[in-house]
Amino acid sequence: MRLAPRSSAIALAAALALSACASAPTASVASPPPAPSENAAPAPASPAELVARVDIPYEKFVLANGLTTIIHTDRKAPIVGVTAYYKVGSKNEPRGKTGFAHLYEHLFFGGSANVPDFDVPLEGAGSTPTNGSTWYDRTNYVETVPTGALDLALFMESDRMGHLLPAVTQDKLDKQRGVVQNEKRQGDNQPYGLFEYAQAEGLLPVGHPYRHSTIGSMADLDAATLTDVRKWFTDHYGPNNVVLVLSGDIDAATARPKVEKWFGDIPRGPEIKPVTAEPVTLSAPVKREIVDQVPVLRLTRNWTAPGLNDADTPALQIGMRVLGGLASSRLDNELVRGQQLAVAVTAYSQVFQQLSMLTMAMDVKPGVDRAKANAAFDKVLADYLRDGPTEDEVRRAVVSTLSGEIGGLERVGGFSGKGATLAEGQVYSDDPAKYKQDLARMAALTPAEVKAAMNKWLSRPVYALDVVPGARTESGDAMGGWGDEAKQPAPRPDPKAKAPALAAGPKREFPQLGQIGALTFPAIERTTLSNGIPVALARRTAVPKLVLSLDFDAGYAADALDTPGTQGLMLAMLDQGTSKLDATRIAEAQERLGASISIDGSLDTSSVTLSALSANLSPSLDLMAQIVRDPAFSPSEVERVKSQSEAELAQALSTPDDLAARSLGSELFGNHPYAQPSDGLGNAASLAALTPAQLKAAHDKWLRPDLARITVVGDVTMAELKPMLERAFGQWQAPAVPKPVKPLDTAVPAATGSRIVLIDRPNSPQSVIVAGRVLPMTGKTPDAEPLQLANDVLGGGFLSRLNKDLREDKGWSYGVHSGVAQPVGPRSVQVAAPVQSDKTGEAIKAIIADMGALPTGKPVTAEELQRVTEGAIRQLPNLFETDAAVQAAIRKNDRLGRPEDYYVGLAARYRTIDAKAIGAAATQYLQPKGLTFVIVGDRKVVEPQLKGLGLPVEVRAVPAAPEGQE
């Protein structure tokens, strides 16, 4: 239903989190935090040892019709990941048919001969939301189902594989065409949203299979006919072009009869013709710039390189990580922390089957001369190619990569779980265990091999593509196609041309559901450190890793007692230097350990989270303690990180979704602490004024042991864990002054009537609509489950009324949702709807109508009730597959004061809730009266549409960015 979850866009510096400041006495520390020391614990695991821990055993069989099936058994939960990879992607599209593979992926969810709706039966059976994605080399479809629903999932997958076409109608094509075009607009509407189009245009010649974008051109999508999409199916969707993976609570002996039963009678299809698509060497360096509504100048250097089966590819992946992928990368050390010419840098290898895209990028610090930035950028690369990486750099890049792969073993299905890993190996390399070869090759790499590969491919002529701040001068509507449309327009068939009628498919009966397993939540052990910090541990041994969070009762809301943006900047500084380690050494230490220390937050909580290999926990905890307890707040580093935060704020003000969310929060909450910007960045003036002394005071005021709680989930025992925690945090003493208390009982503005705030963002192909209202309840208000289920009916998922209406029926949006936030303090209902600009007014009417109809005009149906109650109950084991998911549940229960067995008891509570109770909750909390709408869009297009709504409209400009930012 969406493009693959990958993006080559740079994420601007984003270590920010939350809130606070003001003068407070420094905490008296009885003993300093332990210094990281390799002698304090066993040596970290070697790359070879880590590779040995990455293992996905499997069995494989091939049906007579060519369907390749792979089975992986993992009994940790009563669920099975169903992963289907079709060996067709956008590289297989001919001229005039760009975007067809992705458009067809959308149609694949619209029902088949015996399945009117693909989502309803599976979600009712407890499946995760079904999904799919399209990329250059493949189209995939994923769902994770309870074991008792596996036959249902296989029946439905086989029905759309073998019997789809009778159900594909002109009406479905027209609606999904609109959805896809809005998906394209949504991507194009982002800052730097045209970069990938321009990157492919400069690197590859017209006609190269990887040149046109996966989402295609507007013109080709407009021209797609019913006959075209039928032919796409018959040419590409035969079982012989599919790899099916079943991973989880299943074995080959059980699986084979099921696969034979459901798929065995589907006839073979044509073999997909091989595509020739080699990397391209430019004849000479090429330069291009595009002007866009972006906050800072972005410089990039781009090349093509070989595909994933080439011997050089692992070396290029590691080489690019050393250059710009690690936190301690060459680009970071020289341009961000060293010369301080950049606010963000990156380098990566985006690997496809037949080629790769190599990119290095620099977001230039405002005020820096462009020529100076270019020279420094190129010098880093030249020096790197001349000298090559060090042994330590290669090891750090390899260990951090392997640690991520081990973490991926937790999930059996989905886009990045074990099923996808096996499928991609089979599809791209005819070897499900290809991942083992790649990781072993990475672990054995030498600096000389990395240097040789980088020089071989990055010494060729470069494509320098820069994105310059200004008014956007190009339109994404005209980009992403074949590339020669202006000179050779393709024939334009009538997209409404009648297609011949098709015979109905054979009648097939839905299978009965088997037994659905109940949720088994892991046991929770609790203890308290010597200084009073409570500790919760849930032991899980599926992978040799763990996740540990240190949460403080602070969060964005704490800025209400200080200066907006204080807590966010303070938290961003924690890993930027201690009294013993500078930022580079902190990053290097994490990479050597295969650990990741992330600093983040929410309205209520400031958090430092450690993801670590179990074997390396002790030194990883020592490093974490140094970061939390002993940040230096060096004036020079504060200025550098403040510049990055100002760039991130400018990015947020340039991004429609972020701007809308920031604006809605302040409109709803007024002077309440929850009015603080939801990204923790404050505002331009407050951010500019912050000093190192204020940040130090905020640290001592809010990051203190009597506001802390530790939650751990993973492969460690309490006997092993507690001594390490005592060493790291147990001797940390709270200051003598009382701990601060956030004024969460502050009154919120009364919602006297609905209104609209329109923020003018010229040249926007979409309008981002958000709406909300504060509710008369808090996150700790008990017995609110009917409200949760009412929201699930209204806008809580793909099958919700809002999404069905605006996306599936009207085709005006790529996706609409609603949610009821659950912080500790006041809750709010919020709706988010990015829609095509010319439908803004009608979309607001539709949102108001859909909310008002529940339940009086359109009561909760039996299907909706079953889905949000029994379907949700059946889905519970699916929700806690990973350590991070279990940890999040424990932390939420503790934060809201709920019992440990809250999720285990949820099934019984859901079974007591009927349609009447859901309707009553909707009547009380989800009606449209009093909503505040915030629209970020092009005023000249949007404002005329608002005149007939009968709501007051206030027009505003985009808030001012920090000085020096666009």
Side-chain angles (χ1 to χ4, degrees), residues 787-801:
L787 171 58
Q788 176 186 329
L789 301 187
N791 178 72
D792 289 343
V793 171
L794 175 65
F798 185 82
L799 292 172
S800 68
R801 293 186 180 186

Side-chain angles (χ1 to χ4, degrees), residues 186 189-190 652 654-662 766 768 770 832 834 936:
Q186 187 167 316
N189 199 31
Q190 307 307 307
S654 300
T655 304
D657 298 57
D658 294 345
L659 175 57
R662 285 174 59 90
Q766 270 195 336
V768 172
V770 294
V936 178

Side-chain angles (χ1 to χ4, degrees), residues 426-474:
Q426 180 65 41
V427 169
Y428 301 149
S429 310
D430 199 30
D431 178 8
K434 176 67 162 52
Y435 69 94
K436 278 182 172 286
Q437 298 177 30
D438 293 341
L439 296 179
R441 171 66 177 139
M442 285 183 183
L445 283 171
T446 66
E449 290 173 311
V450 174
K451 178 183 178 182
M454 294 293 284
N455 273 278
K456 177 180 178 181
W457 294 99
L458 274 73
S459 294
R460 300 176 301 145
V462 64
Y463 175 37
L465 172 61
D466 299 342
V467 185
V468 180
R472 179 174 280 189
T473 56
E474 300 181 62

Side-chain angles (χ1 to χ4, degrees), residues 637-661:
E637 289 296 274
V638 169
E639 283 306 305
R640 174 180 65 79
V641 176
K642 186 191 292 187
S643 294
Q644 292 177 295
S645 297
E646 289 173 335
E648 187 176 1
L649 175 57
Q651 175 84 348
L653 297 177
S654 300
T655 304
D657 298 57
D658 294 345
L659 175 57

Side-chain angles (χ1 to χ4, degrees), residues 553-568:
D553 183 8
Y556 307 122
D559 275 352
L561 297 180
D562 300 304
T563 301
T566 305
Q567 185 106 155

